[in-house]
Amino acid sequence: MVARFLWRGKIKLLSAATALGGGAGAAAIANSDDPGTALKLCTTVPVRLLRVSATAASIAYDYEYSLWGLPEGSIERSRAKHEVHIRGACRLQELCFQNGGIYIKLGQHISQLEYLVPQEYVQIMRESMLNRCPVSSYDQVCEVVKRELGGAPDDVFDEFDPVPIASASLAQVHIARTRDGQKVAVKVQHAHMTDTAAADYATVELIVNTLHWLFPSFDYRWLVDEVHESLPKELDFLIEAKNSVKCMDNFQKLSPRIADYVYAPRVYWNLSTSKLLTMEFMEGVHINDVKAIQRLGIQPSDVAKLVSQTFAEMMFKHGFVHCDPHAANLLVRSLPSGSWSILGKRKPQLILLDHGLYKELDIPTRTNYAALWKALVFSDAKAIKENSMKLGAGEDLYVLFAGVLTMRPWNRVIDPAVDHLVFQGNDSDKSELQMYASQYFSQITELLRRLPRDILLMLKTNDCLRAVNNSLIQGASLEMFFVIGRVSSEAVIEAKLLQKKSFLRLINVWLEEVLLEIRFSCMQIAYRLFQLRKALTW
């Protein structure tokens, strides 16, 4: 749909965007204190811009040509659309890898938008964006280390592996050993990021604004605004280090019952700067490696429950949320000094990596978001509407907002059945999601434009967590929603206790707690009976 619009206006897009790109390059030179860097920007920006324009035009032409004359709803059109989705996703993937940096960050974001883009794009981008990021050469790494720490890697560290163990959109990680023998992970920012980040942002902004000018219904300016705010913070590794410390402090103070089950690597402050971060090396397995988790003697379902608990506590109680919890940023290991359970299984510990992207929620936003999730778990239509409107969805789009959060249609959201929010992950559910994504594209785009940036990042976090849980247990778990319902309910009660206290209010809050416990117990019993009945019918 969007691609057909792009095809009709591709010539206009190419000329306008290229002209604007040239202007951005000229502005970079005029405002730069480093003529060499400015000249480099002036030559790289137009090339990247031309790649974007050419990719958009080729994708648009493919859609227009491949679907021409095929009746809507026909098998032939569905087959052709599937094939062109795959080709379009591959072209977009190649563009992200060629341009690198911010483009890979955007590609990672696209891979989570199951409610907005075709499944083929989600699958192809998700499989590649986390595992095939570009790698800086060792010479470039040495330049950064020398500039930041005053010497070559071999001068600063006792050992330094020149081959990175991981590479992401903004940096790559090397194993090293400090002079006192400690094994560490050294996160080194890609050498080009400092020079090209601003130019990349300008290029993306120009493309998105031009697209919106040509096709007003295509409005992704909210995404550009979010990148503009978050990117400088992600590029400063000292902010990332402080975030990790604050995150762990919050668990110790506000969520002591699970504090031992959540961990972030210790920072070596004397070997860290804004462009280089030295951390404790963590032995663990990636959270989407189910077989490796099982080899540790850990149940994947226990890991899924811990992930839900951890991020529910962050969102609803701490108000300080790790907003990039994709599979590459989450490790699992056995709980240190943890004992074996009666069933011979070990308890998991969740290791949080990459603390560059956090969002701090103010108390009203955090409380309203908690109240919304409580309402979603309990199928409370009135409270869903009330809290969705408080969060910015409006009276006309609150139903859609509930659907985006839960990936369920409205009739399922308000269904009183105990498993009403569980997404089975079967072909029927996926087809239903894609139908809604296509049918309500413009409304979803308007919703994303309308919501505050804080809530947009919560949506991104929600999308990442859904993908993680799907990889662990092949679909959403009812247990996950029990956890979310309980933590969000506790947060709502705590917020009420912070209000003006009176004896009557305390009694009301106490009664609410009792009723919640009864309700959760009934839900648990109903779920066990449902499982038993299901097992007996097999």
Side-chain angles (χ1 to χ4, degrees):
M1 176 175 59
V2 175
R4 290 200 294 273
F5 291 153
L6 287 173
W7 166 242
R8 295 186 186 114
K10 64 176 182 177
I11 302 300
K12 195 174 180 182
L13 169 63
L14 281 166
S15 59
T18 304
L20 287 169
I29 290 180
N31 296 316
S32 176
D33 296 328
D34 184 349
T37 299
L39 182 60
K40 180 181 177 182
L41 292 179
C42 191
T43 56
T44 58
V45 169
V47 172
R48 292 173 182 234
L49 197 57
L50 283 171
R51 283 194 196 120
V52 174
S53 301
T55 300
S58 64
I59 292 175
Y61 176 80
D62 196 1
Y63 275 95
E64 188 74 12
Y65 178 78
S66 300
L67 302 180
W68 181 266
L70 297 178
E72 194 71 47
S74 67
I75 296 176
E76 292 81 6
R77 185 179 181 88
S78 296
R79 185 181 300 115
K81 185 181 288 187
H82 171 69
E83 292 172 354
V84 78
H85 281 337
I86 291 176
R87 291 195 296 272
C90 289
R91 289 188 178 107
L92 184 58
Q93 170 191 269
E94 189 60 30
L95 170 68
C96 291
F97 286 134
Q98 286 181 332
N99 279 1
I102 290 176
Y103 292 88
I104 291 178
K105 296 291 289 185
L106 293 173
Q108 291 172 349
H109 192 78
I110 289 171
S111 73
Q112 308 296 336
L113 298 176
E114 292 178 280
Y115 48 81
L116 193 59
V117 299
Q119 186 63 31
E120 292 85 352
Y121 282 81
V122 171
Q123 184 174 348
I124 289 173
M125 301 297 279
R126 187 173 290 173
E127 288 173 353
S128 59
M129 289 294 107
L130 300 180
N131 302 315
R132 284 181 49 197
C133 292
V135 177
S136 295
S137 69
Y138 185 58
D139 287 341
Q140 291 173 318
V141 169
C142 290
E143 286 180 18
V144 175
V145 174
K146 187 174 182 178
R147 185 172 66 243
E148 298 300 315
L149 300 181
D154 291 340
D155 297 330
V156 177
F157 298 94
D158 194 47
E159 298 175 14
F160 191 95
D161 191 339
V163 180
I165 59 168
S167 182
S169 56
L170 305 182
Q172 62 191 50
V173 179
H174 294 257
I175 297 177
R177 198 170 291 277
T178 62
R179 291 300 183 189
D180 60 356
Q182 297 298 314
K183 190 176 183 180
V184 294
V186 183
K187 183 176 180 179
V188 183
Q189 195 168 116
H190 290 311
H192 67 274
M193 284 307 304
T194 304
D195 294 338
T196 62
D200 281 343
Y201 168 76
T203 305
V204 172
E205 182 180 37
L206 290 170
I207 289 291
V208 171
N209 286 336
T210 303
L211 284 170
H212 180 62
W213 171 57
L214 292 169
F215 321 112
S217 64
F218 189 91
D219 190 357
Y220 277 72
R221 290 175 296 174
W222 58 269
L223 185 55
V224 175
D225 290 341
E226 183 52 50
V227 171
H228 183 253
E229 179 179 317
S230 64
L231 187 64
K233 297 176 183 177
E234 290 189 82
L235 289 172
D236 188 339
F237 291 170
L238 290 179
I239 292 178
E240 176 179 343
K242 292 173 184 176
N243 286 343
S244 70
V245 172
K246 183 175 179 178
C247 175
M248 291 298 97
D249 285 345
N250 284 341
F251 276 99
Q252 291 292 336
K253 296 173 183 176
L254 304 175
S255 305
R257 63 185 173 184
I258 68 164
D260 290 340
Y261 297 88
V262 184
Y263 191 80
R266 182 166 59 91
V267 175
Y268 288 75
W269 293 97
N270 61 319
L271 294 172
S272 297
T273 70
S274 62
K275 309 300 178 189
L276 185 147
L277 181 60
T278 303
M279 303 162 286
E280 173 186 6
F281 180 80
M282 305 304 306
E283 298 281 359
V285 301
H286 284 292
I287 201 161
N288 58 350
D289 192 343
V290 175
K291 291 183 178 179
I293 290 172
Q294 291 172 329
R295 284 196 295 270
L296 292 175
I298 297 172
Q299 290 274 37
S301 58
D302 290 342
V303 178
K305 183 177 178 180
L306 177 57
V307 171
S308 298
Q309 179 87 37
T310 299
F311 283 87
E313 296 279 340
M314 285 189 199
M315 289 186 283
F316 306 138
K317 291 187 176 181
H318 304 177
F320 188 66
V321 188
H322 186 310
C323 291
D324 203 14
H326 57 68
N329 289 340
L330 302 177
L331 298 180
V332 180
R333 67 178 179 181
S334 298
L335 182 67
S337 303
S339 58
W340 293 81
S341 70
I342 298 175
L343 299 176
K345 297 296 180 181
R346 304 208 68 163
K347 295 180 180 179
Q349 185 180 63
L350 182 66
I351 301 171
L352 304 176
L353 305 177
D354 195 349
H355 297 262
L357 183 58
Y358 270 73
K359 177 58 70 173
E360 194 149 8
L361 305 177
D362 58 41
I363 293 176
T365 300
R366 173 162 51 90
T367 303
N368 292 333
Y369 193 57
L372 173 57
W373 268 106
K374 175 190 172 186
L376 289 167
V377 171
F378 289 133
S379 311
D380 187 341
K382 181 180 178 182
I384 292 172
K385 179 178 180 179
E386 177 185 336
N387 289 287
S388 294
M389 290 175 63
K390 287 180 180 178
L391 291 170
E395 192 169 4
D396 55 332
L397 293 179
Y398 75 91
V399 169
L400 191 61
F401 186 32
V404 167
L405 279 171
T406 62
M407 301 294 283
R408 309 305 290 140
W410 179 248
N411 64 317
R412 290 287 292 161
V413 170
I414 59 174
D415 188 334
V418 68
D419 62 340
H420 68 291
L421 294 182
V422 175
F423 178 70
Q424 302 297 338
N426 53 39
D427 292 340
S428 175
D429 275 351
K430 290 178 180 178
S431 297
E432 186 177 32
L433 284 175
Q434 288 305 308
M435 180 190 71
Y436 279 107
S438 175
Q439 186 176 352
Y440 297 107
F441 177 84
S442 58
Q443 291 95 323
I444 294 173
T445 301
E446 168 59 21
L447 174 68
L448 297 178
R449 185 201 64 79
R450 186 184 296 181
L451 291 172
R453 285 206 292 269
D454 291 355
I455 300 303
L456 288 175
L457 269 182
M458 293 305 100
L459 287 180
K460 177 181 183 292
T461 304
N462 195 41
D463 297 337
C464 289
L465 294 174
R466 184 184 298 112
V468 166
N469 275 289
N470 285 344
S471 67
L472 283 167
I473 53 179
Q474 300 302 307
S477 164
L478 185 56
E479 191 73 23
M480 178 184 77
F481 291 110
F482 285 156
V483 169
I484 293 172
R486 183 174 292 279
V487 178
S488 60
S489 298
E490 291 172 355
V492 171
I493 289 172
E494 289 173 6
K496 289 180 179 179
L497 288 174
L498 290 175
Q499 297 173 5
K500 187 177 180 181
K501 295 181 180 179
S502 67
F503 180 74
L504 183 59
R505 173 173 287 278
L506 292 175
I507 292 294
N508 286 335
V509 171
W510 177 78
L511 286 173
E512 185 176 345
E513 284 187 273
V514 172
L515 290 174
L516 277 170
E517 283 302 320
I518 294 173
R519 196 166 185 178
F520 276 117
S521 297
C522 291
M523 289 175 69
Q524 292 276 11
I525 293 170
Y527 178 54
R528 301 306 175 200
L529 291 174
F530 170 77
Q531 285 184 313
L532 179 61
R533 185 169 61 250
K534 188 176 179 181
L536 291 174
T537 57
W538 283 359

